[in-house]
Coordinates of all heavy atoms in Angstrom, one line a residue:
G15 N 43.6 169.8 90.6 CA 43.7 170.0 89.2 C 44.0 171.4 88.8 O 44.8 171.7 87.9
V16 N 43.5 172.4 89.5 CA 43.7 173.8 89.2 C 45.2 174.2 89.5 O 45.8 174.8 88.8 CB 42.8 174.7 90.0 CG1 43.1 176.2 89.8 CG2 41.3 174.5 89.6
Q17 N 45.7 173.7 90.7 CA 47.1 174.0 91.0 C 48.0 173.3 90.0 O 49.0 173.9 89.6 CB 47.3 173.5 92.4 CG 48.8 173.8 92.9 CD 49.0 173.4 94.3 OE1 48.2 172.9 95.0 NE2 50.2 173.6 94.8
Q18 N 47.8 172.1 89.6 CA 48.6 171.4 88.7 C 48.6 172.1 87.3 O 49.6 172.3 86.7 CB 48.2 169.9 88.5 CG 49.1 169.1 87.5 CD 48.6 167.7 87.3 OE1 47.6 167.4 87.8 NE2 49.4 166.9 86.6
A19 N 47.4 172.6 86.9 CA 47.4 173.4 85.7 C 48.1 174.6 85.7 O 48.8 175.0 84.8 CB 45.9 173.7 85.3
G20 N 48.1 175.3 86.9 CA 48.9 176.5 87.1 C 50.4 176.3 87.0 O 51.1 177.2 86.6
E21 N 50.9 175.1 87.3 CA 52.3 174.8 87.2 C 52.7 174.2 85.9 O 53.9 174.1 85.6 CB 52.7 173.8 88.4 CG 52.4 174.3 89.8 CD 52.5 173.2 90.8 OE1 52.7 172.0 90.5 OE2 52.4 173.6 92.0
S22 N 51.8 174.0 85.0 CA 52.0 173.4 83.7 C 51.8 174.4 82.6 O 51.1 175.4 82.8 CB 51.0 172.2 83.5 OG 51.2 171.1 84.4
K23 N 52.4 174.1 81.5 CA 52.3 175.0 80.3 C 51.9 174.0 79.1 O 52.4 172.9 79.0 CB 53.6 175.7 80.0 CG 53.9 176.8 81.1 CD 52.8 177.8 81.2 CE 53.2 178.8 82.3 NZ 52.1 179.6 82.7
Y24 N 51.2 174.6 78.2 CA 50.9 173.9 76.9 C 52.0 174.5 75.9 O 52.0 175.7 75.7 CB 49.5 174.2 76.4 CG 49.1 173.4 75.2 CD1 48.6 172.1 75.4 CD2 49.1 174.0 74.0 CE1 48.2 171.4 74.3 CE2 48.8 173.2 72.9 CZ 48.3 171.9 73.1 OH 47.9 171.2 72.0
V25 N 52.8 173.6 75.4 CA 53.9 174.1 74.6 C 53.7 173.4 73.2 O 53.4 172.2 73.1 CB 55.3 173.6 75.2 CG1 56.4 174.1 74.3 CG2 55.4 174.1 76.6
M26 N 53.9 174.3 72.2 CA 53.8 173.8 70.8 C 55.1 174.3 70.0 O 55.6 175.4 70.3 CB 52.6 174.4 70.1 CG 51.3 173.9 70.7 SD 49.8 174.6 69.8 CE 49.8 176.3 70.6
F27 N 55.6 173.4 69.3 CA 56.8 173.8 68.4 C 56.9 172.9 67.2 O 56.3 171.9 67.1 CB 58.0 173.8 69.3 CG 58.3 172.6 70.0 CD1 59.1 171.6 69.4 CD2 57.9 172.3 71.3 CE1 59.4 170.3 70.0 CE2 58.2 171.2 72.0 CZ 58.9 170.1 71.3
H28 N 57.7 173.3 66.3 CA 58.1 172.5 65.1 C 59.4 171.9 65.4 O 60.3 172.4 66.1 CB 58.2 173.4 63.9 CG 56.9 174.0 63.5 ND1 56.8 175.0 62.5 CD2 55.6 173.8 63.8 CE1 55.6 175.4 62.3 NE2 54.8 174.7 63.2
A29 N 59.6 170.6 64.9 CA 60.8 169.9 65.1 C 61.0 168.9 63.9 O 60.1 168.4 63.4 CB 60.7 169.1 66.4
P30 N 62.3 168.7 63.6 CA 62.6 167.6 62.6 C 62.2 166.3 63.2 O 62.3 166.0 64.3 CB 64.1 167.7 62.5 CG 64.5 169.0 63.2 CD 63.5 169.3 64.2
K31 N 61.6 165.5 62.3 CA 61.2 164.1 62.7 C 62.4 163.3 63.3 O 62.2 162.6 64.3 CB 60.7 163.3 61.5 CG 59.4 163.8 61.0 CD 58.9 163.0 59.8 CE 57.5 163.4 59.3 NZ 57.1 162.7 58.1
S32 N 63.6 163.6 62.8 CA 64.8 162.9 63.2 C 65.2 163.3 64.6 O 65.9 162.6 65.3 CB 65.9 163.2 62.3 OG 66.2 164.6 62.2
A33 N 64.6 164.3 65.2 CA 65.0 164.8 66.6 C 63.9 164.4 67.6 O 64.1 164.7 68.8 CB 65.1 166.4 66.5
L34 N 62.9 163.7 67.2 CA 61.8 163.5 68.2 C 62.2 162.6 69.4 O 61.8 162.8 70.5 CB 60.6 162.8 67.5 CG 59.9 163.7 66.5 CD1 58.7 162.9 65.8 CD2 59.4 164.9 67.2
D35 N 63.1 161.6 69.2 CA 63.5 160.8 70.3 C 64.4 161.7 71.3 O 64.2 161.6 72.5 CB 64.3 159.6 69.9 CG 63.5 158.5 69.2 OD1 62.3 158.5 69.5 OD2 64.1 157.8 68.5
K36 N 65.2 162.5 70.8 CA 66.0 163.4 71.6 C 65.1 164.4 72.4 O 65.2 164.6 73.6 CB 67.0 164.2 70.8 CG 67.8 165.2 71.5 CD 68.8 164.5 72.4 CE 69.7 165.7 73.0 NZ 70.6 165.1 74.0
I37 N 64.2 165.0 71.7 CA 63.3 165.9 72.3 C 62.4 165.3 73.4 O 62.2 165.9 74.5 CB 62.4 166.7 71.2 CG1 63.2 167.6 70.4 CG2 61.1 167.4 71.8 CD1 62.6 168.2 69.2
N38 N 62.0 164.0 73.1 CA 61.1 163.3 74.1 C 61.9 163.0 75.4 O 61.4 163.2 76.5 CB 60.6 162.0 73.5 CG 59.6 161.3 74.4 OD1 58.7 162.0 74.9 ND2 59.8 160.0 74.5
S39 N 63.2 162.8 75.2 CA 64.1 162.6 76.4 C 64.3 163.9 77.2 O 64.5 163.8 78.4 CB 65.4 161.9 76.0 OG 66.2 162.8 75.3
L40 N 64.3 165.0 76.5 CA 64.5 166.3 77.1 C 63.3 166.9 77.8 O 63.5 167.6 78.9 CB 65.0 167.3 76.1 CG 66.4 167.2 75.5 CD1 66.6 168.1 74.3 CD2 67.5 167.3 76.5
L41 N 62.2 166.6 77.3 CA 61.0 167.3 77.7 C 59.9 166.2 78.1 O 59.1 165.8 77.2 CB 60.5 168.3 76.7 CG 59.4 169.3 77.0 CD1 59.9 170.1 78.2 CD2 59.0 170.1 75.8
P42 N 59.8 165.8 79.3 CA 58.8 164.9 79.7 C 57.4 165.5 79.7 O 57.3 166.8 79.9 CB 59.2 164.5 81.1 CG 60.0 165.5 81.6 CD 60.7 166.2 80.4
S43 N 56.4 164.7 79.5 CA 55.1 165.2 79.4 C 54.2 164.4 80.3 O 54.5 163.4 80.8 CB 54.5 165.3 78.0 OG 54.4 163.9 77.5
N44 N 52.9 165.0 80.5 CA 52.0 164.3 81.4 C 51.6 163.0 80.8 O 51.5 162.0 81.5 CB 50.7 165.2 81.6 CG 51.0 166.4 82.5 OD1 52.1 166.5 83.0 ND2 50.0 167.2 82.7
E45 N 51.2 162.9 79.5 CA 50.6 161.8 78.8 C 51.3 161.5 77.5 O 50.7 160.8 76.7 CB 49.1 161.9 78.7 CG 48.4 161.9 80.0 CD 46.9 161.8 79.8 OE1 46.4 161.3 78.7 OE2 46.2 162.3 80.7
G46 N 52.4 162.1 77.2 CA 53.0 161.9 75.9 C 52.8 163.1 75.0 O 52.0 163.9 75.3
Q47 N 53.6 163.1 74.0 CA 53.5 164.2 73.0 C 52.5 163.9 72.0 O 52.1 162.8 71.6 CB 54.8 164.4 72.3 CG 56.0 164.6 73.2 CD 57.3 164.5 72.5 OE1 57.4 164.1 71.4 NE2 58.4 164.9 73.1
T48 N 51.8 164.9 71.4 CA 51.0 164.9 70.3 C 51.8 165.4 69.1 O 52.4 166.4 69.1 CB 49.7 165.7 70.4 OG1 49.0 165.2 71.6 CG2 48.9 165.6 69.2
I49 N 51.9 164.5 68.1 CA 52.7 164.8 66.9 C 51.8 165.0 65.7 O 51.0 164.1 65.4 CB 53.7 163.7 66.6 CG1 54.6 163.3 67.8 CG2 54.6 164.0 65.3 CD1 55.4 164.4 68.3
V50 N 51.9 166.1 65.0 CA 51.0 166.6 63.9 C 51.8 166.8 62.7 O 52.8 167.6 62.8 CB 50.2 167.7 64.3 CG1 49.2 168.1 63.2 CG2 49.4 167.6 65.6
P51 N 51.5 166.2 61.6 CA 52.4 166.5 60.3 C 52.2 168.0 59.9 O 51.1 168.6 60.2 CB 51.7 165.6 59.3 CG 50.8 164.7 60.0 CD 50.5 165.3 61.3
L52 N 53.2 168.5 59.4 CA 53.1 169.9 58.8 C 52.8 169.8 57.3 O 53.4 169.1 56.6 CB 54.5 170.6 59.0 CG 54.8 171.0 60.4 CD1 56.2 171.7 60.4 CD2 53.8 171.9 61.0
C53 N 51.9 170.6 56.9 CA 51.5 170.7 55.5 C 52.7 171.1 54.6 O 53.2 172.2 54.9 CB 50.3 171.6 55.4 SG 49.7 171.6 53.6
G54 N 53.0 170.5 53.6 CA 54.1 170.9 52.7 C 55.5 170.7 53.2 O 56.5 171.2 52.6
N55 N 55.7 170.0 54.4 CA 57.0 169.8 54.9 C 57.1 168.3 55.4 O 56.6 168.1 56.5 CB 57.3 170.8 56.0 CG 58.8 170.7 56.4 OD1 59.5 169.7 56.3 ND2 59.3 171.8 56.9
E56 N 57.6 167.5 54.7 CA 57.8 166.1 55.0 C 58.8 165.8 56.1 O 58.8 164.8 56.8 CB 58.1 165.2 53.8 CG 57.1 165.3 52.7 CD 55.8 164.6 53.1 OE1 55.9 163.6 53.8 OE2 54.7 165.2 52.7
D57 N 59.7 166.8 56.4 CA 60.8 166.5 57.3 C 60.5 167.0 58.8 O 61.2 166.6 59.7 CB 62.1 167.2 56.8 CG 62.6 166.6 55.5 OD1 62.4 165.4 55.3 OD2 63.1 167.4 54.7
K58 N 59.5 167.9 58.9 CA 59.2 168.4 60.2 C 57.7 168.1 60.6 O 56.9 167.8 59.8 CB 59.3 169.9 60.3 CG 60.8 170.3 60.3 CD 60.9 171.9 60.5 CE 62.3 172.3 60.8 NZ 62.3 173.7 61.1
V59 N 57.6 168.1 61.9 CA 56.2 167.9 62.6 C 56.0 169.0 63.6 O 56.9 169.7 64.0 CB 56.1 166.6 63.2 CG1 56.1 165.4 62.2 CG2 57.2 166.4 64.3
A60 N 54.7 169.2 63.9 CA 54.4 170.0 65.1 C 54.2 169.2 66.3 O 53.6 168.1 66.2 CB 53.0 170.8 64.8
V61 N 54.9 169.6 67.4 CA 54.8 168.8 68.6 C 54.0 169.7 69.6 O 54.2 170.8 69.8 CB 56.2 168.6 69.2 CG1 56.1 167.8 70.5 CG2 57.1 167.9 68.2
H62 N 53.0 169.0 70.2 CA 52.1 169.6 71.2 C 52.4 168.8 72.5 O 52.4 167.6 72.5 CB 50.7 169.5 70.9 CG 50.3 170.4 69.6 ND1 49.3 171.2 69.7 CD2 50.9 170.4 68.4 CE1 49.2 171.7 68.4 NE2 50.2 171.3 67.7
I63 N 52.6 169.6 73.7 CA 53.0 168.9 74.8 C 52.5 169.7 76.1 O 52.5 171.0 76.0 CB 54.4 168.6 74.9 CG1 54.9 167.7 76.0 CG2 55.3 169.9 75.0 CD1 56.3 167.2 75.9
V64 N 52.1 169.0 77.1 CA 51.8 169.6 78.4 C 52.9 169.2 79.4 O 53.2 168.0 79.5 CB 50.4 169.2 79.0 CG1 50.3 169.8 80.4 CG2 49.3 169.7 78.1
T65 N 53.6 170.2 79.9 CA 54.7 169.9 80.7 C 54.8 170.9 81.9 O 54.2 172.0 81.8 CB 56.1 169.9 80.0 OG1 57.2 169.3 80.8 CG2 56.4 171.2 79.4
L66 N 55.6 170.6 82.9 CA 55.7 171.6 84.0 C 56.6 172.7 83.5 O 57.5 172.6 82.8 CB 56.4 170.9 85.2 CG 55.7 169.8 85.9 CD1 56.5 169.1 87.0 CD2 54.4 170.4 86.5
E67 N 56.2 173.9 83.9 CA 56.8 175.2 83.5 C 58.3 175.2 83.7 O 59.1 175.5 82.9 CB 56.1 176.4 84.1 CG 56.7 177.7 83.7 CD 55.9 178.9 84.2 OE1 55.2 178.7 85.2 OE2 56.1 180.0 83.6
A68 N 58.7 174.8 85.0 CA 60.1 174.8 85.3 C 60.9 173.9 84.5 O 62.0 174.2 84.0 CB 60.2 174.5 86.8
V69 N 60.4 172.7 84.1 CA 61.1 171.8 83.3 C 61.3 172.4 81.9 O 62.4 172.3 81.3 CB 60.3 170.4 83.1 CG1 60.9 169.6 82.1 CG2 60.2 169.7 84.6
F70 N 60.2 173.1 81.4 CA 60.3 173.6 80.0 C 61.5 174.6 80.0 O 62.3 174.6 79.1 CB 59.0 174.2 79.6 CG 59.2 175.0 78.3 CD1 59.3 174.3 77.1 CD2 59.3 176.4 78.3 CE1 59.6 175.0 75.9 CE2 59.5 177.1 77.1 CZ 59.5 176.4 75.9
W71 N 61.5 175.6 80.9 CA 62.4 176.7 80.9 C 63.9 176.1 81.1 O 64.8 176.7 80.6 CB 62.1 177.8 81.9 CG 60.8 178.5 81.5 CD1 59.6 178.6 82.2 CD2 60.6 179.3 80.2 NE1 58.7 179.3 81.5 CE2 59.3 179.7 80.3 CE3 61.3 179.5 79.2 CZ2 58.7 180.5 79.3 CZ3 60.8 180.3 78.1 CH2 59.5 180.8 78.2
D72 N 64.0 175.1 81.9 CA 65.3 174.5 82.1 C 65.8 173.8 80.8 O 67.0 173.6 80.7 CB 65.3 173.5 83.2 CG 65.1 174.1 84.6 OD1 65.4 175.3 84.7 OD2 64.8 173.4 85.5
T73 N 65.0 173.4 79.9 CA 65.4 172.7 78.7 C 65.3 173.4 77.5 O 65.6 172.9 76.4 CB 64.6 171.3 78.6 OG1 63.2 171.7 78.4 CG2 64.8 170.5 79.8
L74 N 64.8 174.7 77.5 CA 64.6 175.5 76.3 C 65.7 175.5 75.3 O 65.6 175.2 74.1 CB 64.2 176.9 76.6 CG 63.9 177.8 75.5 CD1 62.7 177.3 74.6 CD2 63.6 179.2 75.9
E75 N 66.9 175.8 75.8 CA 68.1 175.9 74.9 C 68.5 174.6 74.2 O 68.8 174.5 73.2 CB 69.3 176.5 75.7 CG 70.4 177.0 74.7 CD 70.0 177.9 73.6 OE1 69.1 178.8 73.8 OE2 70.5 177.8 72.5
K76 N 68.3 173.5 75.1 CA 68.6 172.2 74.6 C 67.6 171.8 73.5 O 67.9 171.2 72.5 CB 68.5 171.2 75.7 CG 69.7 171.3 76.6 CD 69.6 170.3 77.8 CE 70.7 170.6 78.8 NZ 70.5 169.7 80.0
L77 N 66.3 172.2 73.7 CA 65.3 172.0 72.7 C 65.7 172.7 71.3 O 65.6 172.1 70.3 CB 63.9 172.4 73.1 CG 63.3 171.5 74.2 CD1 62.1 172.2 74.7 CD2 62.9 170.2 73.7
R78 N 66.1 173.9 71.5 CA 66.5 174.7 70.2 C 67.7 174.0 69.6 O 67.7 174.0 68.3 CB 66.8 176.1 70.6 CG 65.5 176.8 71.1 CD 65.7 178.3 71.4 NE 66.1 178.9 70.2 CZ 66.7 180.1 70.2 NH1 67.0 180.7 71.3 NH2 67.1 180.7 69.0
L79 N 68.6 173.5 70.4 CA 69.8 172.9 69.7 C 69.4 171.6 69.1 O 70.1 171.2 68.1 CB 70.9 172.7 70.8 CG 71.6 173.9 71.3 CD1 72.5 173.6 72.5 CD2 72.4 174.6 70.2
A80 N 68.3 170.9 69.6 CA 67.9 169.7 69.0 C 67.1 170.0 67.7 O 66.8 169.0 66.9 CB 67.1 168.9 70.0
G81 N 66.8 171.2 67.4 CA 66.1 171.5 66.2 C 64.7 172.1 66.3 O 64.0 172.5 65.4
A82 N 64.2 172.3 67.6 CA 62.9 172.9 67.8 C 62.9 174.3 67.3 O 63.8 175.1 67.6 CB 62.5 172.8 69.3
S83 N 61.8 174.7 66.7 CA 61.6 176.1 66.3 C 60.1 176.6 66.4 O 59.3 175.7 66.7 CB 62.1 176.2 64.8 OG 61.3 175.4 64.0
S84 N 59.9 177.8 66.2 CA 58.5 178.3 66.3 C 57.9 177.9 67.5 O 56.7 177.4 67.6 CB 57.6 177.8 65.1 OG 58.2 178.3 63.9
I85 N 58.6 178.1 68.7 CA 58.2 177.7 70.0 C 57.1 178.6 70.5 O 57.3 179.8 70.6 CB 59.3 177.5 71.0 CG1 60.4 176.6 70.4 CG2 58.9 177.1 72.3 CD1 61.7 176.6 71.1
L86 N 56.0 178.0 71.0 CA 54.8 178.8 71.6 C 54.5 178.2 72.9 O 54.3 177.0 73.0 CB 53.7 178.7 70.6 CG 52.4 179.5 71.0 CD1 52.6 180.9 71.2 CD2 51.2 179.2 70.0
V87 N 54.5 179.0 73.9 CA 54.2 178.6 75.3 C 52.9 179.2 75.8 O 52.9 180.5 75.8 CB 55.3 178.9 76.3 CG1 55.0 178.4 77.7 CG2 56.7 178.3 75.8
L88 N 51.9 178.4 76.2 CA 50.6 179.0 76.6 C 50.3 178.5 78.0 O 50.6 177.4 78.4 CB 49.5 178.5 75.6 CG 49.7 178.8 74.2 CD1 48.7 178.0 73.4 CD2 49.5 180.3 74.0
P89 N 49.7 179.4 78.8 CA 49.1 179.1 80.1 C 48.0 178.1 80.0 O 47.2 178.1 78.9 CB 48.7 180.4 80.7 CG 48.4 181.3 79.6 CD 49.3 180.8 78.4
I90 N 47.7 177.3 80.9 CA 46.6 176.4 81.0 C 45.7 176.9 82.1 O 46.1 177.0 83.2 CB 47.1 175.0 81.3 CG1 48.0 174.5 80.3 CG2 45.8 174.0 81.5 CD1 48.6 173.1 80.6
E91 N 44.5 177.3 81.6 CA 43.5 177.7 82.6 C 42.9 176.6 83.5 O 42.8 176.7 84.6 CB 42.4 178.5 81.9 CG 41.3 179.1 82.8 CD 40.3 179.8 82.0 OE1 40.6 180.4 81.0 OE2 39.2 179.8 82.4
K92 N 42.6 175.5 82.8 CA 42.0 174.4 83.5 C 42.5 173.2 82.8 O 42.7 173.1 81.6 CB 40.5 174.4 83.5 CG 39.9 175.5 84.3 CD 38.3 175.5 84.1 CE 37.9 176.7 84.9 NZ 36.6 177.2 84.4
M93 N 42.7 172.0 83.6 CA 43.1 170.8 83.0 C 42.3 169.7 83.7 O 42.5 169.6 84.9 CB 44.6 170.7 83.1 CG 45.1 169.3 82.4 SD 46.9 169.4 82.2 CE 47.4 169.4 83.9
L94 N 41.7 168.8 83.0 CA 41.0 167.7 83.6 C 41.7 166.4 83.1 O 42.0 166.3 82.0 CB 39.5 167.7 83.1 CG 38.7 168.9 83.4 CD1 37.3 168.9 82.8 CD2 38.6 169.1 85.0
N95 N 41.9 165.5 84.1 CA 42.5 164.2 83.7 C 41.5 163.1 83.8 O 40.5 163.1 84.4 CB 43.7 163.9 84.7 CG 44.8 164.8 84.4 OD1 45.1 165.2 83.3 ND2 45.6 165.1 85.4

């Protein structure tokens, strides 16, 4: 678990609702994405995802082109499944 957590990142970003299928195909996750509505913005959501670090950096520009913004990447200290 510790090694897997070291290879993974917790990624959060904003995205248009219309781009979620495209983003999901670009950025696979361990157990799926968490989608959170944004206050005051009906067209965008916050996406939270745990993914492998290498996969994220390989897809970063494609995510941005799909509409992802305010991208935040955090290390994972521990992860229990």
Side-chain angles (χ1 to χ4, degrees):
V16 173
Q17 184 177 0
Q18 183 182 5
E21 296 170 358
S22 297
K23 296 295 179 199
Y24 188 83
V25 182
M26 296 179 282
F27 53 89
H28 295 167
K31 289 179 182 178
S32 61
L34 291 178
D35 287 337
K36 175 71 173 174
I37 288 170
N38 190 42
S39 70
L40 292 171
L41 194 58
S43 66
N44 288 356
E45 293 188 25
Q47 303 169 351
T48 299
I49 308 297
V50 181
L52 291 178
C53 184
N55 190 334
E56 297 293 322
D57 298 325
K58 284 189 171 185
V59 293
V61 179
H62 296 228
I63 190 169
V64 174
T65 191
L66 293 175
E67 181 175 20
V69 171
F70 172 75
W71 293 117
D72 288 344
T73 60
L74 176 62
E75 192 57 33
K76 291 177 186 174
L77 289 170
R78 292 182 65 199
L79 290 173
S83 62
S84 301
I85 301 168
L86 179 62
V87 182
L88 300 168
I90 298 173
E91 184 177 326
K92 295 177 183 153
M93 183 169 63
L94 304 172
N95 290 328

